[in-house]
Amino acid sequence: MTKNLFVSAICAGIAAGLIASLLQFLFVIPALLEGELFETGVRLHFDSGGSPQSDRGAPGLGSDWGRHSMTVAFNIVTYTGYGLLLSAMISYAALKGITTSARQGIIWGICGFIAVQLAPSIGLPPELPGTIAAEVGTRQMWWLGTILATASGMGLIAFGRSNLPLVGIAIIAIPQLVGAPHLDVFFGVAPPELAAEFVTLSLGTAAAGWATLGYVVTETLKRLEP
């Protein structure tokens, strides 16, 4: 079983990492590179006259293949790690008599997206380069707590009996009610439209990666069954 877990996680991690990388190169990275222009002062959102107007247009990806290769490698490694967790949970559910089809695996993947990406982004959305935020340590603690609370809550909603699903809803809400750490003032050098676009593109790409991860993990586990 351990071998099957690792094989399914590696296969799914490669597939999800490549798809996520492709979508990032098409959508996310151009917005990121455009944000870097404002971070470095090449473009100014508020010029000397105080006008909020600024030019729009992302620079080309260029020929920084080292940076691009690291992006692909990081995505594959990250999704492989997530795939290992996902395959372990699906296998554990199977031991409890809960079988999972490949299509249902997509739902597992989407749940992983909600726990790891969507729920934390409610308080701490993806940020463009140059964005000033609260102290890193407190943000990381809130981010990790939100992931654990959301994953636990969704588990109670999906598999809990009696009033446990209601408890799951309350657990999911706790970190959002506490609130993510933020500064008392706003900072920003890039247009808010670009920042909002970066958030939506990042989350959309992550959703596609997680859906692929869930499908491939489940399909691979099914094929590896004796």
Side-chain angles (χ1 to χ4, degrees):
M1 177 178 290
T2 302
K3 177 182 177 181
N4 292 350
L5 293 180
F6 277 101
V7 171
S8 63
I10 292 172
C11 292
I14 292 174
L18 291 177
I19 287 179
S21 297
L22 175 61
L23 294 175
Q24 286 176 356
F25 285 124
L26 289 175
F27 303 109
V28 180
I29 293 179
L32 180 69
L33 294 176
E34 189 171 0
E36 289 179 350
L37 296 179
F38 290 95
E39 178 190 21
T40 58
V42 175
R43 291 183 188 171
L44 297 176
H45 183 46
F46 286 93
D47 60 19
S48 59
S51 172
Q53 181 176 323
S54 56
D55 294 332
R56 179 183 179 89
L61 295 178
S63 58
D64 191 354
W65 300 112
R67 178 178 181 178
H68 300 332
S69 298
M70 287 297 295
T71 298
V72 177
F74 177 80
N75 283 331
I76 291 176
V77 171
T78 301
Y79 277 107
T80 298
Y82 290 146
L84 185 59
L85 294 174
L86 201 60
S87 61
M89 289 187 290
I90 292 174
S91 297
Y92 179 77
L95 293 177
K96 296 297 182 179
I98 303 173
T99 58
T100 304
S101 66
R103 290 187 178 182
Q104 291 171 330
I106 298 176
I107 299 177
W108 278 85
I110 294 300
C111 288
F113 162 73
I114 293 173
V116 178
Q117 312 280 167
L118 186 60
S121 71
I122 295 175
L124 297 173
E127 298 173 343
L128 279 172
T131 302
I132 301 175
E135 197 271 325
V136 174
T138 56
R139 285 188 290 151
Q140 289 177 334
M141 291 180 59
W142 185 89
W143 176 81
L144 180 59
T146 302
I147 292 176
L148 294 176
T150 305
S152 301
M154 287 194 297
L156 292 177
I157 293 172
F159 305 112
R161 298 181 180 181
S162 185
N163 293 325
L164 287 180
L166 296 178
V167 176
I169 294 174
I171 292 175
I172 292 174
I174 287 175
Q176 306 299 341
L177 294 175
V178 171
H182 291 289
L183 298 175
D184 296 330
V185 293
F186 288 112
F187 286 94
V189 295
E193 297 90 345
L194 179 60
E197 185 177 317
F198 179 73
V199 171
T200 55
L201 291 173
S202 298
L203 292 177
T205 298
W210 274 98
T212 303
L213 189 73
Y215 179 86
V216 178
V217 160
T218 311
E219 183 66 20
T220 306
L221 285 174
K222 181 179 179 182
R223 292 179 180 274
L224 292 175
E225 289 179 355

